[in-house]
Amino acid sequence: MNRTLNLFYILLFAGLLLTLSLLSMRGVFGFSAAQDTAVLNGKLAQAFEKHYDAEFPVKQPGTNLWALLDFKLFGEGRQGVLIGENGWLYSDEEFDPVADGARHLRDNLALIQGVRDELARHNVELVLAIVPAKSRLYPEHVGDSTPTALREDLYPRFLGAAHKAGIIAPDLFASLEQAKDQGQLFLRTDTHWTPLGAEVVAGRLGQAVTKAMTLRGAPQHYITQNEGSETYKGDLTRFLPLAPLFEELMPEPDHLQKRATRAADESASADDALFAETEVPVALVGTSYSANDRWNFAGALRQALQRDLVNHAEDGHGPILPMLKYLKSDELKNAPPQLVIWEFPERYLPMTSDLSDFDPEWVASLRKGGTTDERLAARTGN
């Protein structure tokens, strides 16, 4: 009896293995690479591996099952997400320790001051828009997780360092906290703010800029309109791969209230477009908080400032890389604005950035200039 049962298990396993092998062959026969794909440098092998991995028949069920075990047994997702309570997801970058985080923090603060000085050489004022962490604004949904000591007081330290350096940096956390009763300011399943949160921040920045300076050009009237809502699966759901087998266990999608801002007199704006390029007094630089039209942050800023702006924010590169690219741009050299608003999420301050595309001596000179005591004293009036 045991021998028969063992033989049955062997045949069952062999049959299953043969079936999977035959099914996986479609990934071999269905492969075709681009004609210019190189062989000697491994590009062809990488292309085949990527194609075969995508076509492997048990990849999706296996991924879903593994995610189910992590989610149900440990309350965890993949690296990148922290699962909170009541369907809230948070980026683990807001909690996890960073190797050499204290050193990166000092380097980045020095670089920020160097950016300020570089813009000043073009007679451009810098306004720093420090975006507080989602977990700082909504700690009530985090659960038992706590940020590391470096991150716990990161926002007030960042804000204080900016003020000490003489950089305009309004307290956006205070403004957002006061506005929590107006509606949801960050998305539950996403890293980013909602259009309402972006509007609150834009309004606070507008107040700070108006207090500090008078922008060039005549004020322009902008109108923001609600454009309904849509179901939205946030970027953090990618780190919880339960779909499609266990999709019912996923947090409920967000309901994104869409907004769009336009000039009140669009016909006049179109007529002036050919001449307005060199007269736009504001440039916006930052991350996906500014680059993604879903949040309408650039539009809300236009309305708050009553001026047009040029948006140099980029998605997926952090705040430092787009700024360094802007400092090297012909636009800054040939048609500098009056003001640059630098949107900078607090969680990036102790993180390193890949600056290999830039001259290391130039980057080092920015940091050195940003830490010079004489320049800091001149800025702060001490």
Side-chain angles (χ1 to χ4, degrees), residues 39-57:
V39 177
L40 296 180
N41 63 1
K43 294 293 184 182
L44 181 62
Q46 290 178 5
F48 176 77
E49 182 181 357
K50 184 176 180 180
H51 173 80
Y52 186 82
D53 185 56
E55 293 292 329
F56 193 66

Side-chain angles (χ1 to χ4, degrees), residues 117-323:
D117 292 344
E118 183 67 19
L119 289 173
R121 280 189 273 275
H122 295 273
N123 296 314
V124 178
E125 187 73 47
L126 174 65
V127 171
L128 200 57
I130 305 172
V131 181
K134 174 179 169 181
S135 58
R136 189 176 303 280
L137 188 62
Y138 287 101
E140 59 268 32
H141 303 295
V142 169
D144 296 331
S145 300
T146 56
T148 60
L150 178 67
R151 294 191 178 277
E152 192 170 6
D153 64 345
L154 186 58
Y155 182 84
R157 288 177 64 188
F158 196 173
L159 192 65
H163 291 166
K164 186 177 180 181
I167 300 174
I168 300 171
D171 188 352
L172 303 181
F173 172 66
S175 299
L176 287 166
E177 195 169 40
Q178 292 172 5
K180 284 178 72 172
D181 59 350
Q182 298 179 21
Q184 192 169 309
L185 305 177
F186 273 75
L187 293 161
R188 283 186 301 102
T189 65
D190 199 277
T191 315
H192 301 92
W193 49 29
T194 64
L196 175 60
E199 185 177 275
V200 170
V201 167
R204 181 66 185 90
L205 289 169
Q207 294 172 2
V209 171
T210 300
K211 183 179 179 180
M213 68 190 74
T214 300
L215 293 174
R216 295 193 301 255
Q220 297 176 260
H221 185 49
Y222 288 88
I223 298 173
T224 297
Q225 295 177 320
N226 292 325
E227 296 190 335
S229 63
E230 65 178 10
T231 300
Y232 179 72
K233 291 183 178 181
D235 57 3
L236 294 173
T237 61
R238 294 176 300 168
F239 303 104
L240 194 58
L242 293 167
L245 292 184
F246 311 107
E247 191 165 6
E248 70 279 0
L249 298 177
M250 294 283 290
E252 286 292 324
D254 279 284
H255 294 283
L256 182 65
Q257 300 293 326
K258 297 185 292 184
R259 298 184 181 186
T261 300
R262 60 176 179 82
D265 190 353
E266 289 186 332
S267 59
S269 297
D271 293 339
D272 295 340
L274 292 176
F275 308 98
E277 186 174 345
T278 59
E279 299 175 359
V280 177
V282 181
L284 172 63
V285 182
T287 69
S288 51
Y289 284 83
S290 301
N292 196 321
D293 290 336
R294 281 192 177 95
W295 330 132
N296 194 43
F297 180 54
L301 261 182
R302 290 185 176 99
Q303 184 168 7
L305 298 171
Q306 297 185 11
R307 299 293 193 281
D308 196 7
L309 59 82
V310 181
N311 192 353
H312 291 273
E314 296 184 8
D315 195 346
H317 293 142
I320 293 178
L321 200 69
M323 176 56 80

Side-chain angles (χ1 to χ4, degrees), residues 58-79 81 83 238-246 249-250:
V58 296
K59 179 184 178 182
Q60 189 63 62
T63 299
N64 292 162
L65 285 168
W66 193 260
L68 177 67
L69 290 174
D70 279 344
F71 182 62
K72 281 298 187 181
L73 294 180
F74 307 107
E76 296 177 352
R78 285 183 172 178
Q79 184 177 359
V81 69
I83 299 173
R238 294 176 300 168
F239 303 104
L240 194 58
L242 293 167
L245 292 184
F246 311 107
L249 298 177
M250 294 283 290

